[in-house]
Every structure is written in structure tokens, then in C-alpha cells.
Amino acid sequence: MKRRYWAILVLLLLIGLDWYIRAPDSRSRELTAAIEAQASAKLKSYPYTFRVMKVNGETAIMSTPRNVEVPASRALGVLFPGLDTKDPNDPPFIAAQRLLGEVQSEARSIVLSEHGIREVRWELDRDWLTAHHIEVPRK
């Protein structure tokens, strides 16, 4: 019985440590709040929420559902169910790609307008992708 309690305690400590490591710092939360406060209606209604994951000096590391490892078509298929992601010439697909670029650019601009931030670096939102059953290559 004691072993079971120790195993549960260790598991809870590991979960707490994982949360602490992943938890955004106060500056990241402030910048994410700035995105939420200053976002246009288009950005606010977009099905993916861009956020600042961490800040390193004057660089904000922001989340994105796409990059060279995971093409936009995979994320767009989740964001817009029913979209034909197999035909890159499909007008709705082109419009969805353009919209993703626009809202991502707007989120970046908001963060760059904040005091002390001179650069944005994008980092793949592995947790979001995994939660939406998109296979993500390991780091």
C-alpha cells in the first residue's frame, strides 16, 4: 500500500514539474493578453489562438500550427473541416491559407508593437497539433 502512495506522489510531482516547465512566464502572459485585447474581429474569431509561449530577451517565441515540419494544409484541415486540402488550387483552400497568413501576421505585429520586443520567432505548437491528431515529427 505504501508503494502505491509513493507512486501516486511521484506521478503528481512529475505532473507539477511538467506544468511548471511549460507554464508561460508573466511577460508571456502579458503579451498574449495584448494579442487578445488588440486583435481585430478576424483574429478573435479565428479557430486557432496565437499565443506567446516564452520571451528570451527581446525575442518573443510565438505558437504556430504550421511550419516546414507540418505544412499549413494539415492544420487547415483541422481548422476548417470540409476544406479540400488535397487540391492546392482550390479557391477556398487558397483563401484559408491567405487568412492564416493574415491573422498570424496580425498577431506578430501586435507583439512587436509591445515595449521591449524587437523580434518574433515562431515555434510549432506541438501540443495543439497532437491534441488534434496531427502527427508531429520529434525534435
Side-chain angles (χ1 to χ4, degrees), residues 66-137:
R66 64 164 176 176
N67 73 2
V68 295
E69 294 176 84
V70 178
S73 61
R74 309 251 340 260
L76 290 173
V78 171
L79 294 169
F80 302 102
L83 186 68
D84 181 6
T85 59
K86 299 205 187 305
D87 180 6
N89 297 317
D90 184 43
F93 177 72
I94 293 169
Q97 280 188 308
R98 185 174 297 124
L99 178 59
L100 174 55
E102 288 172 11
V103 295
Q104 186 166 340
S105 179
E106 180 184 345
R108 178 182 183 274
S109 295
I110 291 169
V111 171
L112 285 173
S113 72
E114 294 297 307
H115 175 72
I117 300 298
R118 293 183 184 242
E119 186 180 349
V120 166
R121 195 176 86 225
W122 295 101
E123 188 172 297
L124 193 60
D125 193 341
R126 294 173 182 279
D127 293 337
W128 184 87
L129 291 165
T130 302
H132 289 88
H133 311 290
I134 297 176
E135 190 174 319
V136 182

Side-chain angles (χ1 to χ4, degrees), residues 19-29 32 52-54:
W19 176 85
Y20 178 76
I21 290 170
R22 292 178 184 230
D25 56 43
S26 63
R27 183 70 172 135
S28 298
R29 288 191 302 270
T32 298
V52 176
M53 299 166 73
K54 55 189 161 193

